[in-house]
Amino acid sequence: PIDNGMSKEELLAIECELLQSLNTLDIYPCSQSSDGTEVERCLQCSLGGLTPESFDFTIKNSIPGCTISLSAPVFHSVPMVPVQDSKHVLKTARNQVLSGACFLTIGDYTIRYAQLRDIIEDSDRPLFQRDVEGVDRQDDLAAARLFSATTLAFILKKHSEHPSLASYLFVFGDMVDGWQNRYINHIVQIRMVLRTCFFLMAWRAHVLAHLEYSLEVQFISRESFDIFTFICDSLILLILVYRNHFPQYPLLPWLHSTKPCEHVFGCMQKLKADFNIADVLYFIPKLMLHLSGKFGELSPEQKVNATAASYHHTYFDIHNLDIPALMTWPTDAEIEVASFAVAAQEAEQLLTVLGI
């Protein structure tokens, strides 16, 4: 059995055994997703030690420090990209704003919990009171509301004195939208995550250069920084892997996630609270009925949201799905242009407004 106390080494042994079992059936995963805990991230970083091969790619940029180097382990000629669940990442970004352990400072402006209180005190507020007070830090919908276009527009209109909060919500909301959007093409997704990378790099460099600032106080946590940069790299790698190895299939980034597993586990817990693998096999007929037949009268999104509170599953949602756009693969030259001529300049413009 797998429990919360298992070490990276123990999990790596299980991962290795699972990969070998899949490979014997000619199944070669191109991604491995996790929720982003410290142990899981260490495990993902250790996957490269299981194989001598790697897929490497460099996005050149003439701006000093902005060249991006990417790498993923290769198993049986197929790269396997370590991925962080994008909705968990959005909650991480939200929790950084709610945290009282730091005093986020971007240039001349700060991001504070009091700014969220200002929002919910307005009669036209786009957030619920429970999104700010007595919060559930694992609430997918609360995170989605905070980083929504509606909240961003509200801040720009009624609280323009908080440009750092607006910039933060825009940058990280856009980063996750790159994973969740059903219709934008991949070069735009790359631009979105690269902008986030450059924004983070410049913000961090500014804090390090400031004599009175420290990363522990004025910047997001080390773990969050690692997670944010990790998920940006992962999306670009997935696009490259699909372009090079599976160009005949559309890349649906939102399915490279832990959400389907969480949904199945939630349904299983309704059937039996404490279950093991034998129970899962035994309950497969009931589980299939529970997932598909029982909620036949509901919409796909309603079906997958009939599980535990906090989690809002949307992986069945195909509204505005644009398959041709998700099968349009960018060239290396287009990626470099997106990096230098677009993403880096957009990040610079945002940071200039904030005083960096």
Side-chain angles (χ1 to χ4, degrees), residues 14 49 86 125 128 133 142 159 164 251 264 284 291 312 317 330:
I14 296 174
S86 59
R125 59 184 179 269
F128 295 118
E133 297 178 350
H159 293 282
S164 54
L251 168 59
V264 171
I284 282 178
L291 289 170
H312 180 70
D317 181 13

Side-chain angles (χ1 to χ4, degrees), residues 7-192:
S7 66
K8 177 195 72 175
E9 290 74 20
E10 292 172 316
L11 290 172
L12 186 61
I14 296 174
E15 182 85 13
C16 186
E17 183 179 354
L18 176 61
L19 282 174
Q20 290 174 349
S21 299
L22 291 172
N23 294 163
T24 59
L25 299 173
D26 291 328
I27 298 174
Y28 306 102
C30 65
S31 71
Q32 191 261 14
S33 185
S34 76
D35 290 346
T37 65
E38 185 78 19
V39 172
E40 289 174 334
R41 286 187 286 114
C42 289
L43 170 65
Q44 289 181 317
C45 292
S46 300
L47 291 176
L50 300 178
T51 173
E53 297 181 69
S54 65
F55 169 72
D56 302 300
F57 188 83
T58 299
I59 305 175
K60 297 178 182 178
N61 195 312
S62 59
I63 301 174
C66 289
T67 293
I68 305 291
S69 297
L70 308 170
S71 182
V74 174
F75 298 92
H76 296 275
S77 301
V78 179
M80 188 172 74
V81 180
V83 171
Q84 301 288 315
D85 184 88
S86 59
K87 287 197 172 184
H88 280 272
V89 171
L90 194 65
K91 289 184 286 191
T92 298
R94 172 184 179 239
N95 292 338
Q96 288 297 292
V97 180
L98 295 172
S99 173
C102 54
F103 189 67
L104 299 180
T105 305
I106 309 179
D108 300 330
Y109 300 91
T110 60
I111 300 174
R112 308 183 311 279
Y113 173 76
Q115 295 169 354
L116 301 184
R117 291 291 304 272
D118 291 343
I119 295 175
I120 63 170
E121 288 174 0
D122 193 289
S123 58
D124 297 328
R125 59 184 179 269
L127 303 177
F128 295 118
Q129 186 169 345
R130 66 174 182 270
D131 294 341
V132 178
E133 297 178 350
V135 298
D136 175 0
R137 293 180 180 271
Q138 297 303 317
D139 190 338
D140 286 336
L141 285 174
R145 283 190 291 270
L146 178 60
F147 288 88
S148 68
T150 303
T151 300
L152 181 58
F154 177 87
I155 294 172
L156 293 174
K157 180 180 179 180
K158 295 198 172 185
H159 293 282
S160 57
E161 71 276 14
H162 302 323
S164 54
L165 177 61
S167 297
Y168 183 93
L169 297 183
F170 169 71
V171 168
F172 292 104
D174 225 32
M175 173 188 71
V176 173
D177 191 43
W179 283 85
Q180 292 292 325
N181 195 287
R182 268 59 169 173
Y183 56 85
I184 59 175
N185 59 45
H186 296 310
I187 191 63
V188 177
Q189 294 172 336
I190 289 175
R191 187 192 79 196
M192 293 160 79

